[in-house]
Amino acid sequence: MIFFEKKLKSKTLYSGKVVTLEIDEVLLPNGKNGIRECIRHSGGAAVLLVKDGKVLLVKQFRYPYGKETYEIPAGKLNKGEDPLKAAERELEEETGFKAKLVHALNIYPSPGYTDEVIHIYFAEGIELGRQNPDDDEFVTNEFIDFDIVLKMIERGEICDAKTVAAVYKYKCEKNL
């Protein structure tokens, strides 16, 4: 059996600055019709920067969760923006660092209801740039020992999917 769902019709319920919500009627593989709620998102780019065995994390308040979170520097792609350029921009804006970036992996943060793809990069050849966060962005930066970051993930103190994926990918690649 081929698993494919054909869109029959679509209705946009909301279109905002960050997401668009669509309700689609689809033809299912068994010939029946179904409904899919889909959040359309332009995607994101993120950077794992490890220097002298320490991970650079940003700490910021995340409104949907009502608390501060630790995350790797990241941001939304502008329409048509190259993910590498977005990652470079976000790294400098949020942390004040510039680096040569190497693509590490892409993740689908929640494939059941969004088409968002986050492009994750590893930073190499780090140099100081100029921090310049967006007007509505309030972040602090902290270098934390890699082993402590792993423990923070294990204890549930770091739950951000892109950060967890990036840290474990780096751990696997570097055989840590």
Side-chain angles (χ1 to χ4, degrees):
M1 177 183 260
I2 296 174
F3 295 112
F4 181 79
E5 298 178 358
K6 180 181 176 187
K7 185 189 302 186
L8 300 173
K9 61 183 174 180
S10 182
K11 180 178 180 181
T12 299
L13 296 182
Y14 173 80
S15 186
K17 182 176 140 184
V18 177
V19 298
T20 298
L21 173 59
E22 296 177 355
I23 303 295
D24 295 345
E25 184 178 342
V26 298
L27 179 62
L28 301 170
N30 64 2
K32 295 181 180 182
N33 289 6
I35 299 295
R36 297 290 181 250
E37 299 173 356
C38 187
I39 295 175
R40 302 292 180 188
H41 189 282
S42 62
V47 179
L48 178 70
L49 189 157
V50 179
K51 183 175 190 265
D52 302 325
K54 296 177 185 274
V55 178
L56 179 60
L57 295 176
V58 297
K59 188 175 184 181
Q60 60 186 322
F61 182 81
R62 289 300 196 178
Y63 182 80
Y65 297 102
K67 65 180 183 177
E68 290 180 324
T69 62
Y70 281 105
E71 304 171 33
I72 58 176
K76 184 175 84 62
L77 297 178
N78 295 319
K79 187 174 177 139
E81 185 177 23
D82 175 41
L84 175 62
K85 296 297 179 200
E88 291 170 341
R89 171 179 45 80
E90 290 296 332
L91 177 64
E92 187 171 12
E93 277 181 10
E94 292 186 359
T95 70
F97 285 99
K98 292 181 178 184
K100 176 183 179 253
L101 302 182
V102 176
H103 185 262
L105 72 155
N106 293 339
I107 64 168
Y108 300 165
S110 195
Y113 64 84
T114 181
D115 64 352
E116 180 181 14
V117 176
I118 300 176
H119 307 266
I120 300 174
Y121 297 85
F122 292 157
E124 299 176 350
I126 302 154
E127 62 182 67
L128 200 53
R130 188 175 77 85
Q131 188 177 12
N132 185 26
D134 294 334
D135 290 340
D136 64 348
E137 189 171 46
F138 304 93
V139 299
T140 59
N141 301 303
E142 191 174 338
F143 278 98
I144 301 174
D145 282 333
F146 193 87
D147 289 339
I148 292 173
V149 170
L150 288 171
K151 286 182 173 74
M152 291 171 76
I153 291 169
E154 290 166 12
R155 290 191 302 256
E157 295 169 27
I158 296 176
C159 297
D160 173 60
K162 68 186 174 298
T163 302
V164 173
V167 167
Y168 279 107
K169 173 75 171 179
Y170 185 87
K171 181 182 188 306
C172 289
E173 283 195 8
K174 303 297 181 184
N175 295 314
L176 299 176

